Amino acid sequence: MENKVIISSKFKNITFGLIGIGIIALIVGFIDNPQRTWANYLLNSYYFLSLGIGASFFLAIQYISQSGWSAMFRRVPEAIGSFVPVGAILLSLVLIFGVHSIYHWSHAEEVAKDELLQHKSPYLNIPFMLIRYVIFVGLWVFMITLLRKFSLLEDIHGGTEYFVKSEFYSKVFIFILGFSFTLGTIDWIMSINAHWFSTLFSIKNFVSAFYHGSATIVLMVIVLNRFGYFPQLTKYHLHDFSRYIFILSIMYGYMWYAQYMLIWYANIPEETIYYTKLVQGGWLFPFYLDIIINWAFPFSFLLLNKIAKNKNALLFTVIILFIGQWLDLYLQIMPGSTNVNAFGYIEIGTYLGFLGIFAFVVTRSLSKASLIPQNHPYLQESLAHKTH
Amino acid sequence: MEKNIIGVYDNEHQVVVAINQLKENGIQVKDVHTPFPVFEIFEAMGLKTRFPYFAFGFGVMGLSLTFLFLYWSTVISYPLVVGGKPIFSLAFVVIMFVMTINITIVCSLIAFFIREKKGPGAVANEPHMDINDDKFVLVVKKIDSESLRVTEILKNTGAVEVEEIDIVIED
């Protein structure tokens, strides 16, 4: 069943075109409005990095739970995970060169005036943040590469040895990820509002990454199926994918509501300022749109069994969710950094540029190995999978 | 009261095979008793259930009833300002969420008991006592012209026991 994805030169040209659009938008943006461009740059690099992390987490969960059904789709989360090193490099640029445009706490003169920031400065300073960044990203890249290596070795040698190893390192990986992604989101996103804090913030972002990472996996599987790959994809696989999306949408809605509710109820001024700006400062429409497209829509749409097994309905849902993650991050980054609720060429151009890089890296990684793992111990179970 | 032939099986896979063979021979399977739910049997019998729709209905009912109760009690009947919060507020969601689950489960359980005519004082009508233990029992209505063929199929598919009994199975 040697079955490699062949990337047409047309598709490559499209991705290069998208990258070109992105570069032009960034250059014009840096001349026109550097702060907003840096904010968009941060948004998009974090967006695609979180998709990679979410997909890798999905992969690790499949190993740990020894899931049979997903075995034949394993190359897809691996491919999305291979974006993490690239995304990490892209994110590092904003942390090195754009730090003063976005992070209030990075200005020495602001810190000198502000007692709260002085109190936080032993942790929240540029050198220490970069050190943490290198440690987190280094660990992620190391673990993701390791899992990929085992997967490729399994194709050649077979047997269960590599599966057992992968399962063990997956356990290590999710342990690392739980700590490092939490601290990472605090560094990169939450510290934009340096005075504000929320203990539910990082778990919400972690769930969001897992949620949208899974949605991206489904998106790629269905699109590949459209192009004639994965002929073994049945409605039972789709049903299990929908269950993942459905459960994670509940999880996301739960975290969104819990964070909002606790801050609203406790009514502590330094916490409520974050939501006051969103609800009363001209961000009301995207604020409610966020919860509608990330929770209300998938929850009510995938409730019906027939829709959950329908390929086109599921494709529609995951495309909506692909945009939903962007909107979610837009609401987390923009109010604190630029405080301008605007949607223009910078937003679209940057997004398309990053989408081009993402598509290029992921498809390249996908075409390097056989699309369906050759010697996975659960491959037969995955092919014969049935749900009820 | 009518005559039935029952086949007692050790595992569910044999039951599925037996159901399919009986169907191929044009014999109607009347009922299957299992110690736990088996979806393969459900599908092989070609059964359909409206239960999810009922559960959804109960959920909607629970959600709206809870909302009406909360709205009536906190806004209309006894408006009380707590901590400077608005009277009609976001805090409803938690109670609505929990009560929806609660009402759905309790109503589904009641609906199940009504549909199955179970409850206190109901008479047990098990075709074989071992269905409470570890055996799977297949019940076929006895028609004299077919009874030999049925017995043969049941035995061939691995039934450990085949017998004729009189039972009332309501459906």
Side-chain angles (χ1 to χ4, degrees):
Chain A
M1 276 202 299
E2 182 74 16
N3 187 1
K4 286 189 181 177
V5 178
I6 298 146
I7 307 300
S8 64
S9 57
K10 195 178 150 199
F11 182 82
K12 267 186 191 161
N13 288 337
I14 291 172
T15 58
F16 289 142
L18 288 173
I19 294 169
I21 292 172
I23 290 170
I24 292 166
L26 279 175
I27 290 169
V28 178
F30 278 127
I31 297 162
D32 190 20
N33 190 344
Q35 196 194 25
R36 191 167 140 202
T37 314
W38 273 123
N40 270 293
Y41 187 92
L42 171 69
L43 196 166
N44 285 299
S45 48
Y46 179 82
Y47 171 93
F48 287 106
L49 184 69
S50 75
L51 293 184
I53 292 296
S56 307
F57 186 71
F58 178 91
L59 183 69
I61 290 290
Q62 303 308 311
Y63 278 122
I64 294 166
S65 58
Q66 301 194 348
S67 300
W69 70 273
S70 59
M72 76 173 181
F73 306 109
R74 198 180 58 180
R75 294 280 187 243
V76 176
E78 274 172 15
I80 300 173
S82 70
F83 182 76
V84 170
V86 181
I89 292 165
L90 292 171
L91 182 63
S92 72
L93 294 180
V94 69
L95 297 181
I96 295 166
F97 299 110
V99 68
H100 295 300
S101 303
I102 293 171
Y103 301 102
H104 176 64
W105 53 263
S106 66
H107 299 272
E109 67 278 10
E110 295 285 337
V111 176
K113 285 188 284 186
D114 198 321
E115 204 172 322
L116 199 68
L117 289 184
Q118 279 168 23
H119 187 70
K120 289 186 180 182
S121 64
Y123 185 80
L124 217 53
N125 56 60
I126 296 171
F128 191 34
M129 187 195 64
L130 290 176
I131 291 168
R132 270 173 305 189
Y133 171 81
V134 170
I135 294 170
F136 298 158
V137 167
L139 284 170
W140 298 345
V141 172
F142 175 71
M143 293 307 296
I144 289 169
T145 331
L146 199 66
L147 288 177
R148 171 79 173 171
K149 200 181 87 188
F150 287 148
S151 172
L152 292 180
L153 281 172
E154 193 182 68
D155 264 11
I156 302 165
H157 301 296
T160 54
E161 183 201 350
Y162 292 107
F163 184 85
V164 174
K165 269 188 188 171
S166 301
E167 194 193 328
F168 174 76
Y169 283 105
S170 294
K171 287 171 188 166
V172 178
F173 181 49
I174 64 164
F175 183 76
I176 291 171
L177 210 55
F179 280 104
S180 55
F181 196 75
T182 301
L183 295 173
T185 53
I186 290 173
D187 276 358
W188 308 325
I189 311 288
M190 196 166 111
S191 78
I192 290 170
N193 306 287
H195 288 175
W196 180 71
F197 56 88
S198 163
T199 43
L200 278 166
F201 182 84
S202 34
I203 180 75
K204 179 179 163 254
N205 270 21
F206 190 82
V207 168
S208 180
F210 183 25
Y211 179 27
H212 296 98
S214 307
T216 313
I217 295 168
V218 183
L219 179 65
M220 282 187 60
V221 167
I222 296 177
V223 169
L224 282 171
N225 186 252
R226 278 278 166 87
F227 283 98
Y229 300 100
F230 287 127
Q232 304 92 335
L233 181 77
T234 63
K235 64 176 181 180
Y236 305 112
H237 295 118
L238 292 173
H239 195 196
D240 267 353
F241 278 131
S242 318
R243 283 169 177 170
Y244 246 95
I245 304 287
F246 184 73
I247 290 164
L248 286 168
S249 87
I250 298 173
M251 188 78 179
Y252 176 85
Y254 190 88
M255 289 305 160
W256 186 94
Y257 176 74
Q259 178 174 305
Y260 184 40
M261 167 80 184
L262 287 177
I263 288 174
W264 176 84
Y265 220 98
N267 209 6
I268 300 168
E270 63 258 41
E271 286 185 353
T272 46
I273 186 73
Y274 180 76
Y275 279 111
T276 312
K277 195 184 247 178
L278 286 176
V279 176
Q280 292 168 4
W283 301 82
L284 195 65
F285 174 68
F287 180 68
Y288 284 116
L289 190 66
D290 177 26
I291 191 67
I292 288 169
I293 69 175
N294 277 320
W295 172 72
F297 166 68
F299 177 78
S300 48
F301 193 59
L302 295 178
L303 203 57
L304 206 66
N305 200 334
K306 279 209 180 91
I307 287 180
K309 286 177 182 173
N310 186 311
K311 206 183 288 175
N312 292 331
L314 196 57
L315 183 64
F316 179 64
T317 315
V318 291
I319 288 172
I320 295 281
L321 288 176
F322 203 63
I323 301 161
Q325 167 78 333
W326 187 88
L327 186 68
D328 186 39
L329 290 170
Y330 179 77
L331 275 170
Q332 287 173 14
I333 291 171
M334 294 304 169
S337 55
T338 62
N339 202 11
V340 181
N341 184 4
F343 188 78
Y345 75 93
I346 301 179
E347 276 76 17
I348 296 169
T350 323
Y351 181 77
L352 290 180
F354 273 85
L355 187 68
I357 302 174
F358 182 73
F360 178 73
V361 172
V362 170
T363 48
R364 210 173 88 96
S365 163
L366 206 60
S367 64
K368 272 188 180 164
S370 162
L371 184 59
I372 291 171
Q374 306 282 297
N375 293 316
H376 195 286
Y378 288 129
L379 188 60
Q380 288 309 315
E381 191 182 327
S382 177
L383 293 173
H385 176 63
K386 257 189 129 179
T387 62
H388 300 286
Chain B
M1 200 72 83
E2 58 185 7
K3 289 274 184 194
N4 292 289
I5 301 174
I6 62 166
V8 183
Y9 288 87
D10 276 333
N11 68 57
E12 67 268 34
H13 308 297
Q14 292 171 331
V15 180
V16 176
V17 173
I19 291 172
N20 287 332
Q21 280 201 19
L22 287 169
K23 270 204 302 199
E24 276 166 28
N25 283 287
I27 297 158
Q28 195 64 41
V29 178
K30 197 167 154 190
D31 205 355
V32 181
H33 292 250
T34 56
F36 54 82
V38 184
F39 286 106
E40 283 84 1
I41 292 175
F42 193 83
E43 272 169 16
M45 294 273 286
L47 297 176
K48 284 221 158 62
T49 176
R50 283 164 297 177
F51 201 77
Y53 299 101
F54 273 88
F56 181 72
F58 293 139
V60 173
M61 185 188 81
L63 192 73
S64 36
L65 279 182
T66 315
F67 175 75
L68 286 176
F69 172 72
L70 284 172
Y71 191 81
W72 172 77
S73 59
T74 57
V75 179
I76 297 167
S77 176
Y78 203 81
L80 188 68
V81 176
V82 180
K85 300 284 182 234
I87 289 166
F88 176 53
S89 75
L90 200 72
F92 280 22
V93 174
V94 181
I95 303 160
M96 275 157 65
F97 173 68
V98 173
M99 284 301 285
T100 304
I101 296 170
N102 198 353
I103 290 174
T104 310
I105 290 170
V106 171
C107 286
S108 300
L109 207 61
I110 292 170
F112 172 76
F113 276 116
I114 292 171
R115 180 69 180 79
E116 292 295 310
K117 300 194 179 66
K118 291 271 183 334
V123 184
N125 56 2
E126 290 128 355
H128 196 283
M129 284 315 283
D130 278 354
I131 60 163
N132 297 313
D133 192 7
D134 63 344
K135 292 285 191 284
F136 300 78
V137 174
L138 207 154
V139 185
V140 183
K141 188 179 172 187
K142 189 187 172 189
I143 302 166
D144 286 332
S145 58
E146 283 178 348
S147 66
L148 263 175
R149 215 140 52 91
V150 172
T151 318
E152 198 185 328
I153 290 170
L154 292 181
K155 276 186 178 155
N156 284 344
T157 49
V160 286
E161 231 179 276
V162 176
E163 55 181 309
E164 277 183 32
I165 49 158
D166 302 332
I167 43 162
V168 187
I169 294 172
E170 298 151 14
D171 198 32

